[in-house]
Amino acid sequence: QKEVEQNSGPLSVPEGAIASLNCTYSDRVSQSFFWYRQYSGKSPELIMSIYSNGDKEDGRFTAQLNKASQYVSLLIRDSQPSDSATYLCAVNKQGAQKLVFGQGTRLTINP
Amino acid sequence: ETGVTQTPRHLVMGMTNKKSLKCEQHLGHNAMYWYKQSAKKPLELMFVYNFKEQTENNSVPSRFSPECPNSSHLFLHLHTLQPEDSALYLCASSQEPTGGETQYFGPGTRLLVL
């Protein structure tokens, strides 16, 4: 079982709709969760971090964490063509010095 | 310069060459990282440095040799590489090396080994 799993996609969503990206992780003691966005040919940039169960909203982005079910998701409301990118989920265990990344989900927003 | 910078941005080398990748962070962070990103694979952590000291080596072959002279600079020395080492090499930094901190990435060096 992979430590962090994401559907590689591609996920196609019409402009203006809600894009939903999911991530599951295997280690129950994971404490910190991150969503990074990576445009083609560019480096990853942080979108959201979440540490507690529930929802965390920032503009059009909402991260959702459910530690009991070991999943974290990212919702993008009012999707724009500029949201087209690969979204990387990253997970960290308490006390560990490293992030473990999923392979990413490629999202395409269709005008 | 701001953020995390990397040079060169592109590198082509033969299997017998020796080259070095350079990373510099202007964020006042204490931790620096090297990652490898290959096509269709997750980002792989290679090395972690905290205050110039290496704290993690993720079973990286010895043909990759990191160097961290101070908390702002990180190098990756390359020698006798294989074609399968062709990838995007990303440097990142964070305030502390706890993994719970946000990591900021440089633009990467795209490496092609012939």
Side-chain angles (χ1 to χ4, degrees), chain A residues 4 32 34 36 38 41-46 49 51 88 92-104, chain B residues 9 33 35 37 40-43 45 48 55-56 58 88 90 97-103 105-108 110:
Chain A
V4 179
S32 308
F34 303 85
Y36 283 82
Q38 186 173 22
K42 302 292 186 182
S43 58
E45 56 177 331
L46 181 73
S49 59
Y51 304 95
L88 306 174
N92 163 256
K93 294 186 295 188
Q94 187 176 21
Q97 292 192 354
K98 63 179 186 179
L99 286 178
V100 179
F101 284 83
Q103 69 176 76
Chain B
R9 297 293 306 279
Y33 311 79
Y35 285 90
Q37 189 173 38
K40 301 191 187 302
K41 285 187 174 181
L43 265 172
L45 178 68
V48 180
T55 56
E56 180 123 5
N58 207 25
L88 179 67
L90 290 161
T98 61
E101 301 263 343
T102 299
Q103 293 185 16
F105 287 85
R110 188 159 296 282

Side-chain angles (χ1 to χ4, degrees), chain A residues 4-64:
Chain A
V4 179
E5 290 208 57
Q6 296 180 254
N7 187 325
S8 61
L11 175 65
S12 292
V13 173
E15 184 176 357
I18 295 175
S20 177
L21 303 159
N22 299 313
C23 171
T24 58
Y25 58 94
S26 61
D27 194 333
R28 284 194 169 275
V29 299
S30 297
Q31 295 288 324
S32 308
F33 306 85
F34 303 85
W35 283 100
Y36 283 82
R37 177 177 63 198
Q38 186 173 22
Y39 291 115
S40 180
K42 302 292 186 182
S43 58
E45 56 177 331
L46 181 73
I47 297 294
M48 295 278 285
S49 59
I50 187 166
Y51 304 95
S52 305
N53 277 328
D55 294 0
K56 180 181 177 182
E57 188 174 317
D58 183 1
R60 295 186 297 111
F61 298 94
T62 299
Q64 299 175 317

Side-chain angles (χ1 to χ4, degrees), chain B residues 12-111:
Chain B
V12 180
M13 60 187 288
M15 289 190 286
T16 58
N17 292 158
K18 287 185 180 181
K19 296 286 184 184
S20 295
L21 310 185
K22 179 184 175 182
C23 174
E24 184 174 359
Q25 59 96 0
H26 309 268
L27 301 168
H29 289 165
N30 297 317
M32 296 187 77
Y33 311 79
W34 278 117
Y35 285 90
K36 175 183 179 183
Q37 189 173 38
S38 305
K40 301 191 187 302
K41 285 187 174 181
L43 265 172
E44 299 172 59
L45 178 68
M46 300 175 74
F47 302 103
V48 180
Y49 276 83
N50 178 27
F51 289 105
K52 306 186 301 179
E53 300 298 320
Q54 187 182 120
T55 56
E56 180 123 5
N57 177 335
N58 207 25
S59 303
V60 180
S62 60
R63 57 186 185 270
F64 295 91
S65 174
E67 178 191 359
C68 189
N70 54 60
S71 57
S72 298
H73 294 85
L74 185 63
F75 295 88
L76 188 62
H77 304 299
L78 315 172
H79 66 96
T80 327
L81 293 194
Q82 305 298 310
E84 60 264 30
D85 296 322
S86 299
L88 179 67
Y89 288 85
L90 290 161
C91 174
S93 72
S94 65
Q95 186 61 51
E96 301 295 339
T98 61
E101 301 263 343
T102 299
Q103 293 185 16
Y104 295 86
F105 287 85
T109 295
R110 188 159 296 282
L111 173 67

